[in-house]
Structures are given as C-alpha cells and as structure tokens.
Amino acid sequence: QVQLVESGGGLVQAGGSLRLSCTFSGRTFNTDTMGWFRQAPGKEREFVASISRIGGNTAYSDSVQGRFTITRDNAKNTIFLQRNSLKPEATAVYHCAARALGTGVFGSWGQGTQVTVSS
C-alpha cells in the first residue's frame, strides 16, 4: 500500500519562499507520476504541479507557473515543491499524490501539510 507523507509547511510572509517535501513508500517510486495539489479554505482542491516518473516532464497550473518548481529525487523516494514569491492566496493545505504507471488518475494521496502566507 502506497504511503505519502508531506512536510515543510508552516507560516511564511508574503514574498517569501518555502519548500515542501513528500516521501513515498509502498511501491517502486520511479514508476509513478507525482503531483502536488492544494485546497484553500472553502474551495475545491486544485492541481498545482506534476512531474513524470523520470523527471523529464513537468506541468504547472497557470497560477504558479514561473514561481513554483517541482522536482523529484528517485534515490530518496521524495518529491519537492519549491515555492517562491509566495502570495496570501497560496494559503492552503498542500497534498502530494501519486499516479501509478498505466493509470489515468492520482490514486494515492498524502494527508497534506498546511501552508499559511501572511500579508
């Protein structure tokens, strides 16, 4: 069974930076596409970024393009989300997710880590 554990959340001032981490276990890591999603209070969960199993392909939502960077370290079964120039609207619970090879959905999810950006 896949387990995903996020870390690195906290309180940061607007304009600051923060790096989130997500550790993966339970399956061969480098076969999964990994992603980050977030859910702000009162809003639906939204896609933030994804990275292919080898790391050559990344995708970002328009709202974070150019400010967030997703990377992965397959040797450590970990993905990262580096977030720069943070805005208050980035306040949310951030979840990492895994999409198994051959499937079309992110079927495994972490519990999430809270990020609060103060203005």
Side-chain angles (χ1 to χ4, degrees):
Q1 183 175 356
V2 171
Q3 288 189 322
L4 302 171
V5 180
E6 302 94 338
S7 61
L11 176 65
V12 63
Q13 289 189 332
S17 300
L18 206 60
R19 189 175 80 158
L20 304 181
S21 301
C22 173
T23 301
F24 174 107
S25 63
R27 184 164 66 219
T28 302
F29 178 62
N30 62 7
T31 63
D32 283 49
T33 293
M34 301 296 296
W36 286 99
F37 294 75
R38 66 185 180 187
Q39 187 165 19
K43 295 186 178 181
E44 293 186 354
R45 186 168 59 195
E46 65 172 349
F47 168 79
V48 175
S50 65
I51 186 165
S52 63
R53 57 191 180 94
I54 298 177
N57 294 316
T58 57
Y60 298 92
S61 67
D62 290 342
S63 62
V64 307
Q65 179 76 47
R67 296 185 297 110
F68 289 13
T69 303
I70 186 171
T71 57
R72 67 190 293 161
D73 184 339
N74 285 346
K76 296 181 178 179
N77 287 8
T78 302
I79 66 167
F80 305 94
L81 186 68
Q82 177 67 42
R83 298 143 352 105
N84 300 324
S85 304
L86 286 166
K87 302 177 181 179
E89 50 263 40
T91 295
V93 176
Y94 285 72
H95 299 267
C96 71
R99 187 176 76 203
L101 184 65
T103 69
V105 295
F106 286 91
S108 300
W109 294 84
Q111 290 296 311
T113 185
Q114 175 70 49
V115 173
T116 302
V117 183
S118 63
S119 57

